[in-house]
Amino acid sequence: MVDMKIFGICGSPRVNTTDYVIRNALDKLKSHGLETVLFSCAGKTIKPCMHCDYCLKNKKCIIEDDMLDVYENLQNADGIILATPVQSGGISSNLSTIMDRTRALEAIDYNLLRGKIGMSIAVGGDRTGGQDFAHLKNITYFMIHGIIPVSGGPFGSNLGASFWSNDSLEDVKKDEYGMESLNRALVEFSKFLKKYI
Ligand SMILES: Cc1cc2nc3c(=O)[nH]c(=O)nc-3n(C[C@H](O)[C@H](O)[C@H](O)COP(=O)(O)O)c2cc1C
């Protein structure tokens, strides 16, 4: 596991419950010797894709904003963790914008992200607020880019780590079942990194 790099994206527009969960995940991986980088959408500017197709011709995005940081870290990573608050029954618009803007990497080389390992975290205000839909969108992103998605396994972590925040930082910290799903997903994520990277 030496020299493995994990890039975590926190898709929340603020620093709160999703930030708490992804930091917890990255800290655990760091304690096992992995190098971790966190990109938080909070306070960042990532403009929506305009479908101008500049990237297809020029092999880079025409928009120069905080996505430049994401492009670099996505390419350098061995493992990628997408953490999103559940919004409107799915992922945040911040994370969705990052997904669209990844098209510019595909324009350079379709294989840039191929074979990396991907893991999903979803934090909903409601217990069943759409965490699974958020995971499925993250997993779809992984598949589109050739990233291998991990499951935390049956019994609570089928599609990734799912949390119920009850809209509060205090309550997400008390979500033991969510933390168990995170730990399961991290075990599988580490096994996949060892086996395939
Ligand atoms: C615009 C918006 C839409 C939301 N939609 C949902 C939803 O569909 N399902 C849900 O469980 N929680 C929903 N929530 C609540 C958030 O998922 C919840 O508060 C989460 O913990 C926020 O994460 P954060 O603290 O990292 O921002 C929504 C919150 C916002 C701001």
Side-chain angles (χ1 to χ4, degrees), residues 148-181:
I148 304 164
V150 299
S151 159
F155 310 115
S157 190
N158 280 354
L159 302 176
S162 303
F163 281 80
W164 174 32
S165 74
N166 201 20
D167 295 327
S168 113
L169 185 57
E170 284 66 42
D171 283 358
V172 85
K173 289 180 184 174
K174 289 185 209 147
D175 182 13
E176 289 176 16
Y177 197 81
M179 196 50 79
E180 209 176 296
S181 77

Side-chain angles (χ1 to χ4, degrees), residues 39-194:
F39 178 89
S40 168
C41 290
K44 304 282 175 26
T45 302
I46 299 186
K47 294 183 187 148
C49 170
M50 300 183 289
H51 200 168
C52 63
D53 286 342
Y54 179 92
C55 63
L56 300 184
K57 292 175 203 110
N58 299 281
K59 311 297 173 203
K60 62 176 199 161
C61 183
I62 195 167
I63 309 168
E64 295 201 345
D65 58 12
D66 290 312
M67 191 63 196
L68 293 174
D69 197 9
V70 178
Y71 287 136
E72 192 184 331
N73 280 298
L74 281 174
Q75 289 176 84
N76 290 341
D78 298 299
I80 295 164
I81 302 180
L82 297 182
T84 186
V86 180
Q87 291 194 347
S88 305
I91 63 168
S92 69
S93 50
N94 308 68
L95 184 56
S96 181
T97 303
I98 287 177
M99 290 180 177
D100 288 346
R101 295 274 304 278
T102 308
R103 189 171 190 248
L105 281 188
E106 296 292 339
I108 301 170
D109 179 353
Y110 186 65
N111 293 304
L112 277 182
L113 304 181
R114 189 161 298 276
K116 298 176 190 287
I117 311 298
M119 191 189 117
S120 174
I121 297 173
V123 182
D126 299 325
R127 187 198 289 271
T128 55
Q131 283 86 342
D132 276 358
F133 280 110
H135 287 312
L136 286 172
K137 176 67 179 170
N138 286 345
I139 290 167
T140 303
Y141 172 83
F142 292 147
M143 288 177 69
I144 288 170
H145 299 288
I147 298 164
I148 304 164
V150 299
S151 159
F155 310 115
S157 190
N158 280 354
L159 302 176
S162 303
F163 281 80
W164 174 32
S165 74
N166 201 20
D167 295 327
S168 113
L169 185 57
E170 284 66 42
D171 283 358
V172 85
K173 289 180 184 174
K174 289 185 209 147
D175 182 13
E176 289 176 16
Y177 197 81
M179 196 50 79
E180 209 176 296
S181 77
L182 177 67
N183 291 336
R184 284 171 190 271
L186 286 172
V187 167
E188 292 303 318
F189 186 61
S190 301
K191 280 189 194 163
F192 271 59
L193 283 164
K194 238 185 237 169

